Amino acid sequence: MRLALYEPDIPGNAGTCIRLCACLGIGIDIIEPCGFILSDARMKRAGMDYALRATIRRHADWAGFVAARSAEAPEGRLVLATTRGAVPHTDFAFRPDDVLLMGSETAGVPDAVHDAVDARVRIAMVPGMRSLNVAVAASMILGEALRQTGGFPAEPVACPPQPVLPEETSR
């Protein structure tokens, strides 16, 4: 499974997604052009030193991303997160070889990209709300996809028990 960001606009969101992928052991594709320089300090701050642990692939444009996918993993599906998705992400049957595509924060994806994907999912929200932050949406969808496919990393060694704080007394 991989996460792909289509022409991200906000460096902090890209950094957060890179950190998310590093922590979960998921590769990330960044489809340029970005609305910022990839070495932007805001992206580095959001990604912290996790970018060094992430498997990042940069693609000059959509065509480069499509070519790389067909050469490396032609059987994997491209699943777009979109407010125009037909299926809630919790009802979609994810597969371990899916690539989860997130659109740019300000424009989503163009119709040509929307039409080129294998599936479209949405996050159910209360009426009248437009969309979630792209990093939040990526976390929710990736979390559900990993839950369904058993793709979460193995549990780390248990931490020592934490001391229990005394109960607060009422006054």
Side-chain angles (χ1 to χ4, degrees):
M1 188 165 300
R2 294 184 68 81
L3 181 67
L5 304 180
Y6 180 86
E7 299 183 3
D9 295 17
I10 301 172
N13 286 339
T16 300
C17 288
I18 290 169
R19 182 177 182 174
L20 170 70
C21 289
C23 288
L24 296 177
I26 301 297
I28 185 166
D29 294 276
I30 299 178
I31 304 164
E32 299 185 48
C34 298
F36 55 89
I37 298 170
L38 276 175
S39 62
D40 187 292
R42 292 168 292 181
M43 187 186 79
K44 286 182 180 177
R45 185 170 43 255
M48 297 174 57
D49 58 343
Y50 291 88
L52 301 173
R53 306 262 323 256
T55 304
I56 303 170
R57 284 192 229 155
R58 292 173 62 179
H59 306 277
D61 53 25
W62 173 251
F65 171 73
V66 170
R69 278 195 68 243
S70 59
E72 294 170 7
E75 68 283 348
R77 297 178 303 180
L78 189 56
V79 180
L80 175 64
T82 173
T83 56
R84 296 188 284 164
V87 179
H89 77 290
T90 52
D91 292 344
F92 185 77
F94 290 97
R95 298 190 321 216
D97 60 353
D98 285 339
V99 176
L100 310 178
L101 177 64
M102 309 303 292
S104 79
E105 294 90 332
T106 57
V109 298
D111 288 339
V113 172
H114 197 273
D115 295 341
V117 301
D118 300 300
R120 294 166 204 86
V121 298
R122 63 176 159 54
I123 297 172
M125 295 184 289
V126 297
M129 303 308 287
R130 288 188 320 273
S131 65
L132 292 166
N133 171 284
V134 72
V136 170
S139 298
M140 290 176 68
I141 294 171
L142 183 57
E144 176 63 14
L146 292 174
R147 184 195 68 78
Q148 286 184 21
T149 61
F152 276 107
E155 286 294 318
V157 176
C159 296
Q162 299 298 310
V164 177
L165 297 176
E167 289 188 75
E168 194 173 302
T169 57
S170 57
R171 296 181 179 195

